[in-house]
Amino acid sequence: MNSVVSAIRTALLTAEPRAKCFAARQVARDWRKGALAWRFDVAMPNQPAWPDAPELLAPGHMPKRRKGSSESGRLALWHALAHIEFVAIDLALDMAGRFGAAMGEEFVGDFLGVAADEAMHFALLARKLESLGSHYGALPAHGGLWEAAHDTKGDVAARLAVVPMVLEARGLDVTPATIERVQASGDSGGAKILIRILDDEIRHVGVGTKHFLRCAEMARSNPESLWQSLVKQHFHGTIKPPFNDSARLAAGLSRGFYAEIAH
Ligand SMILES: [Fe+2]
Ligand SMILES: [Fe+2]
């Protein structure tokens, strides 16, 4: 039987977006069916395989996204979101494959489920771009989204603190305003996609928080202060309001975690 990590590794090393989505969903399905062996016989790649397009630009070199309802602003929004979801597939796969041996079967199942969700999110957004006459890869994209993974590859608590509990939680804060804007522009199909994504992302933050709490317990640390110190050490952006407190709380992320270090 193929090992769970070799299946994960294969998905990470698949560059073509549709094929990566297919591979990610296949790993999650095979895992649920018990068709993958609990064996950790290969290492995760440092960098997953990605397609030649989109061109990746350093943060700060991205063309300014205008908030207006212009055609190009709309395309830029959907393209940026598609890229975030594309990278999120690999972030979830890497989480499961890199830290699964230490964290156990529930952890692997949870994050393979997240990877399958991210593949679905990407597919919805790729299709949205196509309905607008464009495609994923047509515009440049943010090249810094793998940095968090790289910075935290040696420490599962740091990875959980930064990826689900900072970056995905940030999505909970900003998505409602995007939904409103998209809805106001008359694009109810687009708003529907974002509502579905927001729902799933609350669950993703919840999965991250649940496993982070286990890490804190194993380390006999106070979860809030452990999280704050890991975020200070490994996250180079700012934790800034406005927060979607109710969505965060639904994911188990209470203000006790982030209120103190927000600015
Ligand atoms: Fe997502
Ligand atoms: Fe997510």
Side-chain angles (χ1 to χ4, degrees), residues 18 35 53-54 59 86 90 109 129 135 141 187 202 207-208 213 226 237 250 263:
R18 255 172 235 276
F86 183 72
D90 285 336
L129 282 168
H135 60 275
D187 181 3
I202 292 175
V207 161
L213 291 176
L226 177 63
H263 20 198

Side-chain angles (χ1 to χ4, degrees), residues 85 88 117-118 121 168 197 201 204:
E85 299 293 348
D117 286 347
E118 308 298 15
H121 297 169
E168 286 186 294
I197 290 178
E201 295 301 337
H204 297 177

Side-chain angles (χ1 to χ4, degrees), residues 26-112:
Q26 185 76 45
V27 186
R29 201 159 36 229
D30 286 348
W31 171 256
R32 274 202 312 274
K33 287 192 315 206
L36 294 169
W38 183 255
R39 217 171 48 239
F40 289 78
D41 48 359
V42 292
M44 292 301 103
N46 278 330
Q47 175 72 45
W50 289 347
D52 294 336
E55 178 195 1
L56 299 180
L57 298 179
H61 287 76
M62 287 293 290
K64 266 261 167 265
R65 198 200 297 168
R66 279 162 306 169
K67 287 197 174 167
S69 59
S70 75
E71 191 62 30
S72 68
R74 201 152 44 222
L75 279 181
L77 167 71
W78 295 112
H79 196 278
L81 294 174
H83 182 61
I84 289 170
E85 299 293 348
F86 183 72
V87 176
I89 302 169
D90 285 336
L91 286 169
L93 290 170
D94 187 82
M95 182 80 91
R98 187 176 297 275
F99 301 113
M103 295 296 288
E105 295 194 10
E106 184 183 333
F107 179 93
V108 169
D110 282 348
F111 282 101
L112 290 179

Side-chain angles (χ1 to χ4, degrees), residues 69-260:
S69 59
S70 75
E71 191 62 30
S72 68
R74 201 152 44 222
L75 279 181
L77 167 71
W78 295 112
H79 196 278
L81 294 174
H83 182 61
I84 289 170
E85 299 293 348
F86 183 72
V87 176
I89 302 169
D90 285 336
L91 286 169
L93 290 170
D94 187 82
M95 182 80 91
R98 187 176 297 275
F99 301 113
M103 295 296 288
E105 295 194 10
E106 184 183 333
F107 179 93
V108 169
D110 282 348
F111 282 101
L112 290 179
V114 172
D117 286 347
E118 308 298 15
M120 177 54 77
H121 297 169
F122 173 78
L124 290 168
L125 293 166
R127 205 188 318 152
K128 176 72 182 168
L129 282 168
E130 279 150 30
S131 77
L132 296 170
S134 185
H135 60 275
Y136 178 60
L139 298 174
H142 192 302
L145 301 186
W146 195 251
E147 266 166 32
H150 185 76
D151 289 350
T152 58
K153 66 181 179 200
D155 180 354
V156 63
R159 174 69 65 87
L160 291 163
V162 173
V163 174
M165 295 171 78
V166 171
L167 301 177
E168 286 186 294
R170 177 90 189 126
L172 306 186
D173 301 335
V174 300
T175 306
T178 311
I179 293 172
E180 249 171 60
R181 217 162 66 232
V182 167
Q183 191 81 64
S185 78
D187 181 3
S188 60
K192 243 188 224 146
I193 294 175
L194 295 177
I195 289 166
R196 176 188 175 160
I197 290 178
L198 177 57
D199 249 27
D200 288 344
E201 295 301 337
I202 292 175
R203 210 171 50 246
H204 297 177
V205 176
V207 161
T209 305
K210 173 178 85 175
H211 291 287
F212 181 81
L213 291 176
R214 277 185 53 224
C215 291
E217 198 184 303
M218 289 188 282
R220 298 179 187 283
S221 301
N222 170 279
E224 284 92 351
S225 38
L226 177 63
W227 183 80
Q228 288 157 8
S229 79
L230 289 170
V231 168
K232 273 181 209 146
Q233 209 178 321
H234 294 278
F235 177 67
H236 311 301
T238 52
I239 310 282
K240 55 174 191 279
F243 297 113
N244 185 345
D245 289 315
S246 61
R248 284 169 169 260
L249 193 58
L253 199 52
S254 58
R255 284 187 66 84
F257 280 93
Y258 54 86
E260 213 174 287

